[in-house]
Amino acid sequence: MTRRATLLVVLALVPARGLLAQRGGASYRDPALPIETRVQDLLRRMTPEEKFWQLYMIPGDLTDPASDYSHGIFGLQVRGAGGASAEAVELDSLQRYFVERTRLGIPIIPFDEAVHGLMQPGATDFPAAIALAATWDTALVGRVAAAIGAETRSRGVRQVLSPVLNVATDVRWGRVEETYGEDPLLVSNMGAVFVRAIERAGVVATPKHFVANVGDGGRDSYPIEVSDRELERVYFPPFTAALTAGAQSVMTAYNSVDGEPASQNRHLLTDVLKGAWGFRGFVISDAAATGGATVLHMTEPTTESAAGHALRSGLDVIFQSSYPQHAPYLRAFLSGAIPPPVIDSAVARVLRVKFALGLFEHPYVSPDSAALRNGSAEHRTLALDAAREGIVLLRNAGGTLPLRRRPGMSIAVIGTDAVEARTGGYSGPGVHPVSILEGIAAKVGAGSVRYAPGPGRGVDDHAVVPAGALSKASGGRIVPGLEAEYFGDPSLTGAPVAQRVDATVDFNWTFTPPVPQLSREWFGARWTGSIAAPAEGIRRLGVSADDGYRLYLDGRPLLDRWAKVSGGVRMAEVALAPGTRHDIRLEYQVSRGDGKIQLLWDT
């Protein structure tokens, strides 16, 4: 059964006529009444479950019968594959279910990413935000944002999780390309024109990540310690500019600010954003950030307590990645951990925006209009203009650029990036993408260009030692896997707190420890057993790890990097003959941060 057929079956299962009749005379259905009157009337009619679901957003659709949306939902992010018209049809089908088949008929807010173009097939990819900032042309960026807004609105998407207004104070941060750079004034101006154009298109802009999600030291989502003066001088201005421009939503950050997770920081969300700044829209978390207090910041014992703290501190909408994840958050709502006035205030903020968007009166869109707007010739020309304006030429030795056809010209193009037409993070597939190689060949002629892939972006001459090559002695026989001992101290002193058999050593402990008895940081591990050389033998053994490790082969030290170090790979020559078996011991310590370790070989 196709997705569409499944969706229609789901719709057919729920009777509509009775639901439409029972709410036909409700005040919230009357567009002539003030929005606040409609909000309060609808709020009085809602059950606790219906209120919760207006504060929960996820990627998803109606195809999974295990997902019960009968109480409604804030909004869904649909991952379409058929282009603009197909997505418009799908979002109309979703809206029809929520408008016609749920008890109160509250429409959803379909949402998506659009940092530099809607992240869907058929949408126009514009230059990355850092390139748009390099144009220094707010009028041009305003036209780009207007095009993004038009394409987004035509499909039925009514909220974008954009723009990124974090000030890029460290170039080592992997998300710099999503930002408008390091200058608060430039970030403020670019963000304001982006927000203004998106909101004028009838789409909710969501400036993010509030606040100071700056990759301190190049690390993402780490604690941020800044003074109030620094917040006011550097990090607040882009957000105040975006709110002045009309942003109706704000997304919180993963990091903590002065010891409080941003998603439950009462000073930031209630005292500053909703209090001093008078923000009347809704605040959403970053994806899975609400529960991050339990696994990233380690400030909450349970997800339920984290949810309660976040809502009481000023968060309105919980953003998660799947339907099943709603369970602990719903328990927090129904347990009484969140005062009813707090819940009602958050729901009212969401409903005000849904009424203001006109979703109750005009929930559907035209698939034909979506097909015409997305990836249009006009928008592709605008994308090209923006890309040209964003180019910054630092040096042009010998007048090499611009390239021109010349007799006897020979240009070498080297590297896999040249043929991949990569458009950056948060990008859709684009419309008619042109690779670097294709662009150069079109300019000077294919006969003048020679391409070689080069070494690629990484050297893949090693692999994780597979489970079948590792074994241990147990009760007089050989069993698969290595004996694993986990210690409550990086020095591996004392008795292990847990023992088990690990099939291989290939771990990345980001938010949880290796075993429940350990903390997420400050632990040690030891793996012992034997390794069997395959038919081609083993040329090298090695380790990829964060923090310290020691590798022994047949009782002799092979690699010793016991001090705390940044992640990296080290390999040692061993030349183990095919079919031979050798004793192996690997010791590992984590003192702070994530734990990551792999046992590697070259065969």
Side-chain angles (χ1 to χ4, degrees), residues 55 78 84 208-209 270 414 466 566:
L55 304 179
V78 174
K208 60 184 184 183
H209 309 82
T270 297
I414 303 170
S566 297

Side-chain angles (χ1 to χ4, degrees), residues 551-559 576 585:
L551 178 62
Y552 298 84
L553 181 67
D554 292 329
R556 295 179 291 104
L558 190 63
L559 292 172
L576 304 183
R585 181 167 91 247

Side-chain angles (χ1 to χ4, degrees), residues 55-68:
L55 304 179
Y56 191 75
M57 61 190 289
I58 54 172
D61 52 40
L62 301 177
T63 59
D64 184 355
S67 301
D68 177 14

Side-chain angles (χ1 to χ4, degrees), residues 242-545:
L243 299 186
T244 301
Q248 297 182 81
S249 177
V250 171
M251 178 186 282
T252 63
Y254 285 122
N255 57 278
S256 63
V257 180
D258 293 338
E260 287 282 344
S263 291
Q264 50 179 223
N265 193 309
R266 182 174 181 82
H267 173 65
L268 291 175
L269 302 183
T270 297
D271 298 342
V272 175
L273 182 60
K274 294 180 177 180
W277 297 354
F279 177 60
R280 287 180 55 80
F282 54 80
V283 180
I284 70 173
S285 71
D286 205 341
T290 309
T294 65
V295 294
L296 176 62
H297 303 291
M298 311 299 288
T299 57
E300 297 283 355
T302 65
T303 300
E304 290 92 328
S305 65
H309 190 176
L311 268 289
R312 293 192 304 271
S313 298
L315 185 73
D316 298 311
V317 181
I318 297 164
F319 182 14
Q320 289 295 122
S321 58
S322 70
Y323 175 87
Q325 293 173 347
H326 79 276
Y329 299 100
L330 178 58
R331 288 197 296 270
F333 274 70
L334 301 182
S335 69
I338 310 170
V342 171
I343 295 174
D344 286 354
S345 175
V347 175
R349 286 176 176 269
V350 170
L351 295 179
R352 287 189 196 105
V353 173
K354 289 190 174 186
F355 281 118
L357 288 174
L359 285 170
F360 283 81
E361 289 72 52
H362 306 288
Y364 310 122
V365 295
S366 166
D368 292 339
S369 175
L372 288 173
R373 287 180 178 271
N374 285 259
S376 67
E378 177 187 359
H379 289 176
R380 294 199 305 274
T381 299
L382 178 60
L384 179 59
D385 290 343
R388 285 171 172 159
E389 292 299 316
I391 293 173
V392 179
L393 183 61
L394 299 180
R395 188 181 180 204
N396 191 17
T400 303
L401 299 176
L403 293 175
R404 302 178 184 88
R405 290 179 187 250
R406 293 196 298 271
M409 171 183 281
S410 179
I411 298 177
V413 180
I414 303 170
T416 54
D417 278 349
V419 297
E420 294 181 359
R422 300 170 70 202
T423 54
Y426 285 100
S427 296
V431 181
H432 306 311
V434 177
S435 71
I436 294 172
L437 180 61
E438 291 169 335
I440 294 175
K443 182 69 175 178
V444 302
S448 299
V449 179
R450 289 192 289 175
Y451 168 73
R457 286 185 291 273
V459 179
D460 297 326
D461 57 355
H462 51 257
V464 173
V465 177
L470 301 171
S471 59
K472 62 179 286 287
S474 177
R477 60 191 183 93
I478 301 297
V479 299
L482 297 177
E483 181 72 28
E485 301 171 291
Y486 292 94
F487 299 81
D489 187 282
S491 65
L492 280 64
T493 56
V497 300
Q499 293 177 271
R500 69 186 188 195
V501 176
D502 287 337
T504 188
V505 181
D506 184 10
F507 298 107
N508 187 1
W509 296 298
T510 302
F511 292 137
T512 55
V515 292
Q517 298 94 317
L518 296 177
S519 64
R520 189 172 64 88
E521 301 177 310
W522 198 259
F523 65 85
R526 179 189 293 128
W527 294 272
T528 54
S530 62
I531 183 170
E536 59 270 36
I538 302 175
R539 295 189 303 110
R540 297 192 300 168
L541 279 173
V543 177
S544 172

